[in-house]
Amino acid sequence: MTPPFKSSSVGAADHITVTINGVKYDVPTTFSEVSLNQYLREHLYLTGTKVTCREGGCGVCTVHVAYPDPTPDSKAIIQRSINSCLCPILSCDKWEITTVEGVGNQNNPHPIQTAMTDHYGTQCGYCTPGWVMSMYRYSTLMGFKTSTTLIL
């Protein structure tokens, strides 16, 4: 397993650059068969983003992405939730990706995570990170200052 490289450690033609939870990484172009989900889990050890069906049906692998609009002369940034199991890591060049670890943690949970636990919004908990990320995307889309407005 090839370790992830911090930004600026390999040649420009040999990698793409992706920002994950605020940290820039250079991903070698040899990772052509690696999905975003595999990269997160197996190379960065961000295991909060789960994997189950590997075909985009269950949503446990949901992450939030922001990337430049590919339209010529556009300076817009597109934001959406995606299934990381279906996304090749090499398609993420210049993307900013937020995983459930980037949203919050046990010591500093996001309001969505707090509401999920306060209102018993989990079952076994395996798919909860995917739910949190979908709600996080919706809260950013709607421009809520705090996500408790969305949930309560």
Side-chain angles (χ1 to χ4, degrees), residues 9-76:
S9 61
V10 295
D14 299 340
H15 72 280
I16 62 141
T17 301
V18 61
T19 302
I20 300 172
N21 296 334
V23 179
K24 285 190 177 190
Y25 294 95
D26 290 334
V27 181
T29 55
T30 57
F31 280 34
S32 61
E33 294 184 17
V34 176
S35 72
L36 173 56
N37 187 276
Q38 288 173 293
Y39 187 74
L40 294 171
R41 294 180 57 79
E42 298 171 14
H43 297 278
L44 300 183
Y45 304 106
L46 296 173
T47 56
T49 303
K50 307 298 185 203
V51 64
T52 297
C53 71
R54 291 182 174 87
E55 57 187 31
C58 68
V60 300
C61 65
T62 303
V63 296
H64 179 266
V65 300
Y67 56 89
D69 184 347
T71 307
D73 300 323
S74 176
K75 302 235 187 277

Side-chain angles (χ1 to χ4, degrees), residues 9 57 91 95 108 110 114 127 145-146 149-150:
S9 61
S91 69
W95 287 20
N108 188 23
H110 189 276
T114 301
C127 56
K145 298 295 183 215
T146 66
T149 307
L150 168 66

